[in-house]
């Protein structure tokens, strides 16, 4: 990864964090980023989890890993098998 | 182990029965025991505190044209304590059979293939476990595949998440996988921290993997001629992977995740069973074959963005990934699925995924006989340029408070450039694409023991 890409990534991460911090610290209360503790019922649902069915995702990842060059993203990029 | 036809039929039968049974079972649940709270079961909280859950699933995977067939069974147990301590264990068993492309191009006449000569100098015999070293013939006009490919894989995984301390959650894990010609071990550590009323979560994960490749045929000499003596018994690969992520709640019904993952892989990346065709420049016919050769280092980077947006009980899941590695491959992946509640205890989720990758710098469909041999070359279609579509349907149903069925059915199709008009002689009329098409079915059962 080039230095430029690293810097861009760092800036993006820092920017996202700063935005989150500003919104929650009241620097920009009109943004209302996020949910209040009493507004979390939807976020807590099974259907709203980032990995609803981990077993299905694991099967998918194993298949894609053995058929495609790209790996990782959601998690680590290792494969743990000799299929690629 | 070779799969018995009866075993496959029984597996498919069980899967089909499981899938067909879903709507009926859901109806039954509605009539008999309205134990699920109002609304859809998947609107309930995902938190599992002081819970013990057993989860088992079976995957049936079949590639078109009698190529690879896999049956993968997985079973696991997960316990979550009241204080957030979580322990999980999982065991996976795979059985693979079928034919796998060997890297050589199609030709207008039959092609004969043999494995490397063992160091002792005896002619290679077909191996009873993988069959990979046996001699075989590819009929004229067909994609050369090693027809004897078969293997079994056993894998185990253990995970531990410690109770949060000062807002930090630490998790540890390990994984081991055994095949007759490949062994892999890995361990991982992850740290997550919630910020701003849990609206922002930062996570950092590290994984170390140690792989040993022990081909039945021995290690072939990279770029050596097919049948040349093996140069060793095993080779090692080590992979360091890092994932840095941020999850942000944007509104009470919308959250996004952004991950950067990077991996540094060192060691043996060559596929010991893959060949590259040496083609005659005038006729375009295959002349001979050499073993492929890949760089000893691969650095991967990917950026992953996921979004989950709820509208009532409907949830739209969208993902995008950009990937680039030091072999010159750039890939884009886009996924979209919609969680649709069905009745009070079931859901279905149609999904679509698109993937595209560019070719590796050293990918070649074939080499010309009179050209200088490059240091690295591979004709493995997984390193070539192609696009792939997945269409599928996932679903789940709560049969009772304790029992849940889930499953998926998916169709995966790779497409790539088949003919090259500028190829020499007959090669211009040869289909050079070796990508795969496959169908996969999964059926799973989750049981809440407490």
């Amino acid at each position: 990864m080039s230095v430029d890409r690293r810097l861009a990534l760092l800036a993006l991460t820092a920017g996202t964090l700063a935005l989150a911090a500003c919104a929650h610290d009241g620097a920009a209360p009109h943004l209302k980023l996020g949910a209040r503790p009493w507004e979390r019922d939807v976020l807590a649902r099974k259907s709203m989890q980032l990995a609803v069915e981990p077993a299905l995702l694991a099967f998918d990842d194993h298949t894609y890993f053995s058929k495609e060059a790209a790996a990782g993203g959601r998690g680590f990029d290792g494969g743990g098998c000799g299929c690629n | 182990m070779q799969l018995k036809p009866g075993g496959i039929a029984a597996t498919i039968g069980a899967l089909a029965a499981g899938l067909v049974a879903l709507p009926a079972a859901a109806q039954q649940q509605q009539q008999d025991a309205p134990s699920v709270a109002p609304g859809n079961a998947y609107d309930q909280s995902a938190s599992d505190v002081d819970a013990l859950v057993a989860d088992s699933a079976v995957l049936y995977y079949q590639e078109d044209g009698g190529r690879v067939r896999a049956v993968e069974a997985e079973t696991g147990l997960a316990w979550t304590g009241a204080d957030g301590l979580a322990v999980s264990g999982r065991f996976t068993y795979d059985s693979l059979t079928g034919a796998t492309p060997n890297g050589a191009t199609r030709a207008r006449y039959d092609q004969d293939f043999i494995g490397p000569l063992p160091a002792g100098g005896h002619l290679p015999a077909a191996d009873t476990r993988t069959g990979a070293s046996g001699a075989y013939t590819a009929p004229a006009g067909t994609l050369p595949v090693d027809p004897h490919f078969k293997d079994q894989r056993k894998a185990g995984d253990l995970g531990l998440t410690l109770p949060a301390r000062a807002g930090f959650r630490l998790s540890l894990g390990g994984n081991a996988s055994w095949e007759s010609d490949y062994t892999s071990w890995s361990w991982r550590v992850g740290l997550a921290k919630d910020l701003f009323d849990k609206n922002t979560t930062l996570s950092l994960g590290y994984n170390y993997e140690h792989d040993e490749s022990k081909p039945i045929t021995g290690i072939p000499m990279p770029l050596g001629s097919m049948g040349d003596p093996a140069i060793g018994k095993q080779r090692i690969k080590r992979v360091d992977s890092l994932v840095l992520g941020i999850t942000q709640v944007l509104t009470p019904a919308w959250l996004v995740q952004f991950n950067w993952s990077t991996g540094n892989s060192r060691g043996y990346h060559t596929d010991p069973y893959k060949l590259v065709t040496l083609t005659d420049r005038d006729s375009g016919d295959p002349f001979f074959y050499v073993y492929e050769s890949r760089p000893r280092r691969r650095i991967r980077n990917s950026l992953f963005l996921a979004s989950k947006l709820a509208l009532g009980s409907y949830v739209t899941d969208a993902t995008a990934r950009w990937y680039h590695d030091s072999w010159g491959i750039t890939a884009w992946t886009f996924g979209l699925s919609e969680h649709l509640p069905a009745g009070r205890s079931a859901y279905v989720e149609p999904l679509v995924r698109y993937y595209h990758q560019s070719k590796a710098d050293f990918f070649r469909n074939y080499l010309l006989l009179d050209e200088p041999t490059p240091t690295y070359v591979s004709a493995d279609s997984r390193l070539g340029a192609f696009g792939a579509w997945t269409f599928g349907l996932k679903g789940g149903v709560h049969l009772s408070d304790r029992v849940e069925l889930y499953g998926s059915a998916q169709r995966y199709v790779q497409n790539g450039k088949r003919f090259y008009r500028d190829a020499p002689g007959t090669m211009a009329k040869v289909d050079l694409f070796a990508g795969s098409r496959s169908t996969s079915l999964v059926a799973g059962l989750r049981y809440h023991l407490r």
Side-chain angles (χ1 to χ4, degrees):
Chain A
M1 186 178 245
S2 70
V3 174
D4 283 355
R5 280 207 189 117
R6 279 176 205 273
L7 281 176
L9 191 71
L10 200 64
L12 192 62
T13 310
T16 312
L17 263 182
L19 188 68
C22 287
H24 295 291
D25 286 353
H30 57 282
L31 273 178
K32 285 187 182 170
L33 197 64
R36 310 286 168 85
W38 57 89
E39 295 175 325
R40 299 192 71 92
D41 55 321
V42 172
L43 294 165
R45 288 176 184 173
K46 286 177 186 171
S47 58
M48 275 297 277
Q49 303 312 299
L50 285 161
V52 177
E53 290 291 1
L56 293 182
L57 286 177
F59 282 137
D60 288 351
D61 281 349
H62 191 188
T63 304
Y64 293 136
F65 177 77
S66 66
K67 294 290 145 196
E68 299 172 348
R74 196 184 288 275
F76 299 114
D77 62 358
C81 68
C83 52
N84 194 345
Chain B
M1 182 196 80
Q2 208 150 15
L3 289 165
K4 295 186 187 74
I8 290 293
T11 309
I12 300 170
L15 291 175
L19 290 174
V20 169
L22 293 186
Q27 272 181 349
Q28 191 71 22
Q29 167 66 18
Q30 284 175 23
Q31 289 165 6
D32 290 357
S35 52
V36 177
N40 187 272
Y42 292 85
D43 291 347
Q44 291 177 345
S45 169
S47 75
D48 266 335
V49 176
D50 196 20
L52 182 63
V53 182
D55 197 331
S56 295
V58 181
L59 161 74
Y60 174 75
Y61 168 90
Q62 174 71 62
E63 291 180 7
D64 291 10
R67 278 165 63 171
V68 176
R69 170 190 295 159
V71 176
E72 187 170 338
E74 184 194 270
T75 187
L77 203 58
W79 174 79
T80 310
D83 57 356
L85 178 69
V87 184
S88 66
R90 201 173 69 223
F91 178 76
T92 307
Y93 175 80
D94 287 1
S95 175
L96 289 155
T97 54
T100 187
N102 69 4
T105 59
R106 290 172 171 88
R108 56 178 170 161
Y109 46 76
D110 291 359
Q111 302 182 80
D112 295 323
F113 299 99
I114 56 167
L117 205 63
H122 301 290
L123 281 174
D127 185 87
T128 50
R129 281 177 295 173
T130 69
S133 63
Y136 55 96
T137 300
T142 64
L143 180 71
V145 291
D146 184 339
H148 309 297
F149 174 66
K150 56 179 187 242
D151 208 346
Q152 297 164 55
R153 173 172 167 260
K154 300 177 201 75
D157 188 280
L158 284 174
L160 173 72
T161 301
L162 298 175
R165 279 196 165 190
F168 284 95
R169 291 194 307 277
L170 180 70
S171 56
L172 305 162
N175 190 297
S177 164
W178 297 271
E179 290 160 80
S180 56
D181 58 356
Y182 204 90
T183 312
S184 173
W185 293 275
S186 70
W187 59 265
R188 59 185 185 269
V189 58
L191 195 62
K193 166 81 171 159
D194 292 328
L195 298 167
F196 316 126
D197 278 342
K198 292 189 175 180
N199 281 310
T200 306
T201 303
L202 295 179
S203 62
L204 176 68
Y206 170 79
N207 187 77
Y208 176 77
E209 182 178 323
H210 177 100
D211 292 2
E212 285 177 24
S213 178
K214 298 166 285 185
I216 301 303
T217 52
I219 301 289
M221 165 78 100
L223 305 176
S225 296
M226 179 179 74
D228 275 1
I231 57 167
K233 286 187 174 170
Q234 68 169 52
R235 290 288 185 274
I236 286 170
K237 184 174 81 180
R238 297 184 182 90
V239 190
D240 294 287
S241 305
L242 200 67
V243 179
L244 190 65
I246 178 167
T247 305
Q248 177 64 44
V249 173
L250 295 177
T251 74
W254 188 18
L255 76 138
V256 291
Q257 182 187 35
F258 178 71
N259 281 354
W260 168 54
S261 71
T262 186
N264 179 7
S265 179
R266 292 146 294 148
Y268 188 71
H269 292 97
T270 299
D271 187 326
Y273 303 118
K274 291 275 193 278
L275 299 163
V276 182
T277 303
L278 293 183
T279 301
D280 181 72
R281 189 186 291 274
D282 297 322
S283 68
D285 288 328
F287 181 77
F288 204 62
Y289 316 92
V290 294
Y291 293 108
E292 67 155 48
S293 165
R294 301 187 190 183
R296 290 186 56 80
R297 191 157 188 218
R298 188 178 195 180
I299 297 170
R300 310 170 111 139
N301 276 289
S302 63
L303 298 175
F304 173 81
L305 188 65
S307 160
K308 296 217 75 148
L309 177 66
L311 198 66
S313 290
Y314 296 76
V315 180
T316 306
D317 186 318
T319 59
R321 178 183 64 175
W322 168 87
Y323 166 94
H324 182 76
D325 68 27
S326 59
W327 290 359
I329 296 170
T330 299
W332 284 95
T333 314
F334 300 97
L336 186 67
S337 70
E338 183 71 18
H339 173 100
L340 308 168
R344 289 173 61 178
S345 44
Y347 80 93
V348 289
E349 189 173 315
L351 66 97
V352 59
R353 174 186 186 266
Y354 178 71
Y355 172 84
H356 183 271
Q357 71 176 49
S358 65
K359 70 181 185 70
D361 296 334
F362 54 89
F363 175 82
R364 293 285 300 273
N365 285 306
Y366 54 87
L367 289 171
L368 290 168
L369 191 54
D370 57 357
E371 73 173 298
T373 309
T375 310
Y376 304 117
V377 64
S378 173
D380 186 340
S381 65
R382 296 171 296 186
L383 299 178
F386 67 86
W389 284 97
T390 305
F391 297 97
L393 191 66
K394 294 186 179 181
V397 58
H398 279 262
L399 296 181
S400 73
D401 281 350
R402 288 176 179 273
V403 184
E404 188 185 344
L405 276 177
Y406 61 90
S408 79
Q410 295 187 57
R411 177 74 181 155
Y412 176 69
V413 177
Q414 291 184 345
N415 286 302
K417 189 173 177 183
R418 295 184 174 276
F419 298 95
Y420 294 77
R421 286 169 191 273
D422 55 346
T426 54
M427 196 62 91
K429 292 175 184 160
V430 168
D431 180 358
L432 292 172
F433 186 63
S436 62
R437 296 176 170 216
S438 59
T439 303
S440 59
L441 297 170
V442 181
L445 175 74
R446 191 176 298 117
Y447 187 81
H448 291 256
L449 295 157
R450 56 180 267 191

